[in-house]
Amino acid sequence: MTENTQQSPASGPNSHPELPTQYTPADVEGQLYERWVERGYFEADADSAKEPFTVVIPPPNVTGSLHLGHAFEHTLIDAVTRRKRMQGHETLWQPGMDHAGIATQNVVERELAKEGKSRHDLGREAFVERVWQWKDESGGQISGQMRRLGDGVAWSRERFTMDEGLSKAVQTIFKKLYDDELIYRAERIINWCPRCLTAISDIEVEYQDDDGELVSIRYGDGEASIVVATTRAETMLGDTAVAVHPDDERYRHLVGTEIELPLTGRRIPVVADPHVDPEFGTGAVKVTPAHDPNDFEIGRRHDLPNLTVMDDHAVITAHGPFQGLDRLEARSAIVGALRAEGRIVAEKRPYTHSVGHCSRCKTTIEPRLSMQWWVRTGPLAKAAADAVRDGRVNIHPEDMSKRYFDWVDNIHDWCISRQLWWGHRIPVWYGPDGEMVCVGPDEEPPSGEGWHQETDVLDTWFSSGLWPFSTLGWPERTESLAKFYPNSILVTGYDILFFWVVRMMMFGLYAMDGTPPFHTVVLHGMVRDQFGKKMSKSFGNAVNPLDWMDKYGSDAVRFTLARGANPGVDVPIGEDWVQGSRNFANKIWNATRFALMNGATVDGELPPAAELSATDRWILSRLNAVVAEVDAYYEDYQFAKLSDTLFHFAWDEVFDWYVELSKTTFAKGGAAADASRRVLGEVLDTTLRLLHPVVPFVTEALWTSLTGKESVVVAEWPTAVSVPGADTPGGFRDAAAEQEIGTVQQVVTEVRRFRSDQGLQPGQKVPARLGLDGTALAPHEDAMRALLRLTPPGDGFTATASLPVAGATVALDLSGAIDVAAERKRLAKDLAAAEKDLAQTTAKLGNDAFLGKAPDHVIEKIRARKAAAEADIARITAQLAALPES
């Protein structure tokens, strides 16, 4: 057939067009995906009577492009949703993007900088228009990349956190929270980014060890002096006290007095506060309430003034010689000035300590006193904790629950205001006489002279926290909301458990009358390189998944990622593993092509069990076992195990054993061949459907060619296969056939190993006599000879080697095939090495002193070496015995 036929389903159930000799993903994937979308397979109907299954996409940033983390997460979600669709659920995978406030504003500001402009040159309204223009022209490239991956999302329902409907949801819940006194405005210490010029939340701060300096400074003189240590000397300009512990006898005489603050001429009090650790350093700390969260709390307890000494850009504003210096310049200048006055008692440099950085731009954050908007999280977080504790929401894997509770049980109020122009503007208006009015979406804001709206926008996570219900039309009570809320599951990385999952839990329970936003939270790990190292451009190990998709196909990338996905565990991945998955896709293609060329069919019922060979009954029995295993792994979100099970069943059992064992049957023809063709068709049909959720493209092309049906996307999910005349609970199983073929496999494997050990080439034919009479192996002699390249004995046959295996005897004539003397010498050398290893390990394990001191893992390693040596000795001894006399 032409290459185009590869993308077209067969015209009818009896049509099995010849597949191309090679599978070329680029010729298949794009066309198949567009057909799926055109036919509406991924859409969800709110009026359907089917049981709903809902999952949202963790909304990628509008500035983003597909990275391996996305590809990993999307593969898992797509696998789950494709299976649920095949099981008959009305399945909605909700797509959309996040407006990504800081990231998007930064992108557009960089574009403006190329024109020599800033956002202030445009003004707020024109700048926001410019961002929308950028979004329409350049944003959202990840949507196209998701199509490349095969994401089965309902594209007609795509949402954006700044679209009209979601903006209404944001304004509605803000008003509700404000009226319920769960949103308030207050001056608190926040994390300030001097580069992004906005507050950021605690969980948007990344901590890393930086090299700095620790300086010890003497405040005051003589008996009325105290030494304090700091890594941020520039903040001393804002000190308003020195604090010591109430029980510290060293400073009891100074508590309540004042000492001079160097360089400033100000006098500050010495206060006693239990927060101070008397065992750390000198037992005294400088207190800068406007620039440190702990100092802010000390200041509140002691009614200390708050002196802000830096502006938005972290430039010193305090009067004196340091005014106008950047914080780092000021740090050096202040230490120099203190040193000149003899007030530096000690200096440690470099001093490695943990420093917070903005997760967006990596600038060192500055704790800063600021008037901001806050969510009072106490009651919301309690509800979120209760929903998991009482079982309404399950976290998988269960051991991740501890991390969840550690957060929600100790959560701080959430700073939700950001000093940006791009985002949901806070719906609060201020009046000329200090009035403050919060306006809902259906209310008119106050107008008149002196009235103006709050300039801050909301934290991006505020709007994405509404995602499970705002995307379904809330606050309107839509049919979609009634049908698809709550979501069935949430699949996301453990790294945004606090950023996003907790936010959705708090808001979902609050807005939806106590109904949590999802039933199950499935947490996965992070993708790392093949050595377990974090992927990063700076490390030189970052991978663009699109490059791998171009090279190996999307199925290969998906299968590699799924095969590494153990619950909650990071996933190492290397290019050679993707190559292996590409080889698997090729194996599926070639085996199915062979099957079609040999008449494999899905037409009609399976023959009765009495008409099936042991080989046929074995593969059907194994198939049903695999269907049950895969279902159990899906229900437990064990993607790695289900993928591995399918890999080994398809490659090892179906392709390497069943297909090979059936070749002799096909060659003979007749009723047995017809039965095997039908069984092979059944096995391939079921196996392709089992594989489809993880490798959708190659399975679609093959399944439609095999069955002649419309699409595997809307095919039924496999259940246990029944065989006429042999029904058993849970589908057909045949332990006797499994044992019989297991014995065949054992004999073939042992003889293959022996051939390899003797240095025979895989295709080299050897005369042999198979002593199978009276055994269950007799019906399989022809197939075994074909698999082992064994010819009939013929005249003049001399058995130079004899292998007793599983009740049978395989006698081979190796005369002329190997150098017996050289082989005996090689095996004798290997035997001596194995005997030496056995003696050493036996001696160690018999030494009580060694066993008493050695760690358990070392002892286990020695035991494993001993067992391996014993096995080697038995194997080599048998090989020597089987060799002909030289």
Side-chain angles (χ1 to χ4, degrees):
M1 78 181 204
T2 64
E3 288 218 330
N4 188 52
T5 315
Q6 191 172 321
Q7 289 92 43
S8 301
S11 57
N14 297 309
S15 176
H16 296 313
E18 184 180 343
L19 292 166
T21 55
Q22 289 186 330
Y23 175 54
T24 308
D27 294 339
V28 175
E29 295 177 348
Q31 294 182 49
L32 283 183
Y33 189 84
E34 289 310 311
R35 180 185 305 147
W36 294 336
V37 173
E38 289 168 6
R39 293 180 177 178
Y41 293 154
F42 305 141
E43 296 303 324
D45 183 2
D47 294 328
S48 170
K50 296 179 182 178
E51 182 181 352
F53 181 86
T54 317
V55 58
V56 295
I57 191 171
N61 287 353
V62 68
T63 59
S65 60
L66 191 76
H67 56 63
L68 266 180
H70 290 130
F72 174 54
E73 183 169 81
H74 291 200
T75 294
L76 304 188
I77 302 174
D78 197 40
V80 171
T81 53
R82 284 179 182 269
R83 174 174 176 263
K84 287 296 182 181
R85 189 178 294 111
M86 295 172 75
Q87 288 181 315
H89 291 260
E90 191 62 33
T91 303
L92 169 60
W93 184 8
Q94 173 66 54
M97 287 183 293
D98 191 284
H99 66 278
I102 296 176
T104 306
Q105 180 158 317
N106 283 347
V107 167
V108 178
E109 286 198 85
R110 284 196 293 270
E111 292 293 318
L112 285 174
K114 295 176 184 177
E115 303 170 16
K117 298 178 182 178
S118 74
R119 60 185 165 113
H120 300 285
D121 295 322
L122 273 66
R124 182 168 193 146
E125 185 175 339
F127 176 77
V128 171
E129 287 180 5
R130 180 70 176 260
V131 179
W132 276 109
Q133 179 184 343
W134 176 90
K135 186 261 182 186
D136 293 338
E137 295 175 356
S138 306
Q141 64 173 322
I142 194 172
S143 295
Q145 295 164 349
M146 287 163 56
R147 292 170 182 262
R148 283 285 313 278
L149 188 65
D151 285 6
V153 300
W155 287 112
S156 69
R157 292 173 172 266
E158 187 174 12
R159 303 303 299 269
F160 181 55
T161 50
M162 285 280 286
D163 68 29
E164 184 178 351
L166 269 63
S167 294
K168 181 178 181 181
V170 168
Q171 194 171 354
T172 299
I173 201 163
F174 186 99
K175 169 72 170 174
K176 181 174 171 59
L177 289 163
Y178 181 88
D179 290 346
D180 288 344
E181 298 184 350
L182 292 172
I183 280 183
Y184 63 96
R185 186 170 184 252
E187 194 173 42
R188 298 280 188 275
I189 291 285
I190 49 91
N191 304 298
W192 181 263
C193 176
R195 160 63 184 78
C196 298
L197 296 180
T198 182
I200 59 175
S201 65
D202 289 344
I203 52 180
E204 292 172 293
V205 178
E206 294 179 348
Y207 287 90
Q208 66 184 49
D209 287 342
D210 288 354
D211 285 340
E213 61 179 346
L214 179 69
V215 294
S216 298
I217 309 168
R218 178 170 49 83
Y219 286 16
D221 294 294
E223 290 293 320
S225 67
I226 296 180
V227 174
V228 298
T230 182
T231 58
R232 300 166 67 214
E234 68 278 9
T235 63
M236 68 165 291
L237 301 176
D239 286 359
T240 56
V242 171
V244 297
H245 192 274
D247 299 330
D248 195 331
E249 293 292 339
R250 293 171 295 175
Y251 304 115
R252 186 179 296 277
H253 67 289
L254 292 175
V255 174
T257 67
E258 291 185 342
I259 59 175
E260 184 173 333
L261 178 64
L263 306 180
T264 67
R266 288 192 290 114
R267 296 187 67 78
I268 56 176
V270 178
V271 299
D273 192 277
H275 170 76
V276 180
D277 180 1
E279 302 299 323
F280 183 78
T282 63
V285 297
K286 59 191 287 297
V287 182
T288 321
H291 293 277
D292 183 275
N294 294 321
D295 292 3
F296 177 75
E297 295 302 324
I298 294 174
R300 292 178 69 179
R301 287 192 289 272
H302 297 276
D303 198 24
L304 299 175
N306 301 314
L307 296 183
T308 300
V309 296
M310 277 181 254
D311 66 11
D312 293 354
H313 296 271
V315 171
I316 300 298
T317 58
H319 294 297
F322 311 109
Q323 187 174 7
L325 295 180
D326 172 79
R327 56 181 166 168
L328 299 182
E329 295 173 332
R331 181 177 301 170
S332 177
I334 286 170
V335 170
L338 290 168
R339 189 184 297 112
E341 290 189 4
R343 294 199 172 272
I344 299 297
V345 176
E347 296 180 70
K348 185 175 182 180
R349 136 178 352 102
Y351 177 72
T352 302
H353 61 129
S354 182
V355 177
H357 296 260
C358 173
S359 62
R360 298 299 196 286
C361 69
K362 311 309 176 187
T363 301
T364 301
I365 63 102
E366 192 65 44
R368 184 169 184 264
L369 187 64
S370 180
M371 183 67 76
Q372 301 286 342
W373 286 91
W374 305 81
V375 169
R376 202 182 309 278
T377 55
L380 301 174
K382 182 181 183 304
D386 290 345
V388 174
R389 286 196 168 99
D390 63 26
R392 282 176 289 156
V393 177
N394 297 307
I395 293 179
H396 185 89
E398 189 177 356
D399 58 10
M400 286 284 179
S401 298
K402 182 180 183 302
R403 300 177 73 164
Y404 177 84
F405 290 127
D406 284 347
W407 181 258
V408 294
D409 290 345
N410 300 286
I411 197 169
H412 298 122
D413 284 359
W414 171 20
C415 177
I416 56 172
S417 46
R418 299 291 180 267
Q419 290 65 54
L420 304 171
W421 286 357
W422 173 245
H424 294 101
R425 196 165 173 181
I426 290 175
V428 170
W429 271 254
Y430 303 108
D433 298 318
E435 303 97 329
M436 189 164 67
V437 177
C438 182
V439 178
D442 300 319
E443 300 172 348
E444 288 294 325
S447 58
E449 187 177 349
W451 283 94
H452 63 280
Q453 187 180 356
E454 169 66 68
T455 57
D456 288 355
V457 301
L458 288 165
D459 179 8
T460 298
W461 296 103
F462 190 96
S463 51
S464 59
L466 315 180
W467 193 246
F469 52 94
S470 63
T471 52
L472 297 173
W474 187 91
E476 307 302 325
R477 295 292 170 172
T478 64
E479 292 180 354
S480 289
L481 188 65
K483 177 75 174 180
F484 296 113
Y485 187 91
N487 289 192
S488 307
I489 64 169
L490 173 74
V491 180
T492 192
Y494 63 67
D495 59 323
I496 58 172
L497 180 61
F498 317 129
F499 282 93
W500 191 44
V501 179
V502 171
R503 311 283 197 236
M504 288 189 289
M505 286 286 286
M506 292 193 300
F507 282 166
L509 289 159
Y510 175 74
M512 297 301 293
D513 303 319
T515 303
F518 22 71
H519 297 303
T520 302
V521 179
V522 180
L523 296 172
H524 59 73
M526 304 296 102
V527 178
R528 296 181 177 273
D529 71 12
Q530 59 189 318
F531 306 108
K533 189 174 181 180
K534 180 180 178 181
M535 284 191 174
S536 166
K537 290 181 180 179
S538 61
F539 295 155
N541 62 351
V543 172
N544 183 347
L546 297 171
D547 293 341
W548 280 355
M549 284 190 263
D550 289 340
K551 196 170 182 180
Y552 304 110
S554 297
D555 283 334
V557 175
R558 290 171 61 115
F559 192 72
T560 304
L561 292 165
R563 205 172 175 197
N566 291 297
V569 178
D570 289 347
V571 182
I573 185 172
E575 186 169 1
D576 54 337
W577 303 340
V578 186
Q579 292 175 1
S581 295
R582 187 269 315 274
N583 294 343
F584 179 51
N586 289 341
K587 184 80 169 180
I588 300 170
W589 183 270
N590 293 333
T592 305
R593 182 173 179 272
F594 166 84
L596 292 177
M597 291 173 63
N598 283 273
T601 181
V602 295
D603 294 346
E605 286 191 349
L606 286 168
E611 298 177 14
L612 297 178
S613 68
T615 306
D616 292 334
R617 287 181 279 115
W618 160 72
I619 197 62
L620 289 172
S621 183
R622 287 292 305 130
L623 177 66
N624 280 342
V626 168
V627 168
E629 282 182 51
V630 170
D631 276 333
Y633 287 141
Y634 261 115
E635 294 305 313
D636 198 34
Y637 308 103
Q638 297 277 359
F639 297 100
K641 290 182 178 179
L642 72 89
S643 299
D644 212 47
T645 296
L646 287 170
F647 174 86
H648 287 294
F649 175 69
W651 191 308
D652 301 344
E653 299 188 79
V654 178
F655 305 147
D656 279 358
W657 283 107
Y658 181 70
V659 169
E660 294 299 321
L661 287 169
S662 298
K663 283 182 178 179
T664 54
T665 305
F666 293 150
K668 291 178 181 178
D674 290 340
S676 290
R677 290 186 183 102
R678 179 64 187 89
V679 170
L680 180 54
E682 187 75 19
V683 171
L684 286 175
D685 171 18
T686 303
T687 302
L688 290 170
R689 282 185 285 147
L690 288 171
L691 281 165
H692 173 72
V694 181
V695 284
F697 294 109
V698 68
T699 52
E700 172 79 345
L702 293 174
W703 189 85
T704 52
S705 292
L706 172 69
T707 66
K709 295 180 181 179
E710 179 184 347
S711 174
V712 70
V713 177
V714 290
E716 290 185 4
W717 180 251
T719 54
V721 174
S722 295
V723 176
D727 285 341
T728 57
F732 175 77
R733 295 300 300 271
D734 191 329
E738 290 193 37
Q739 183 176 357
E740 181 174 326
I741 302 304
T743 304
V744 172
Q745 292 172 322
Q746 182 182 353
V747 172
V748 171
T749 301
E750 286 298 318
V751 176
R752 280 176 172 168
R753 183 181 292 120
F754 177 78
R755 285 176 56 105
S756 176
D757 288 341
Q758 305 311 313
L760 297 175
Q761 295 300 313
Q764 186 175 352
K765 293 184 178 180
V766 177
R769 178 180 291 118
L770 275 60
L772 308 179
D773 293 345
T775 73
L777 299 174
H780 305 285
E781 179 168 350
D782 289 346
M784 292 170 66
R785 283 187 178 278
L787 289 170
L788 290 168
R789 304 293 191 271
L790 301 178
T791 60
D795 296 335
F797 173 82
T798 302
T800 59
S802 183
L803 292 176
V805 185
T809 301
V810 180
L812 301 97
D813 183 357
L814 301 178
S815 57
I818 60 172
D819 183 337
V820 176
E823 188 60 21
R824 282 190 179 278
K825 185 176 180 181
R826 183 184 70 82
L827 289 173
K829 182 179 179 182
D830 290 347
L831 180 62
E835 289 173 338
K836 180 180 180 181
D837 203 29
L838 177 62
Q840 290 176 342
T841 53
T842 301
K844 282 190 175 182
L845 293 173
N847 185 334
D848 291 339
F850 170 77
L851 294 176
K853 295 179 181 179
D856 290 343
H857 73 275
V858 172
I859 295 172
E860 285 304 312
K861 189 174 180 180
I862 299 297
R863 285 176 178 155
R865 277 180 53 200
K866 182 186 178 199
E870 290 171 337
D872 286 344
I873 290 169
R875 176 178 56 82
I876 297 168
T877 301
Q879 291 172 15
L880 284 166
L883 283 174
E885 294 296 329
S886 55

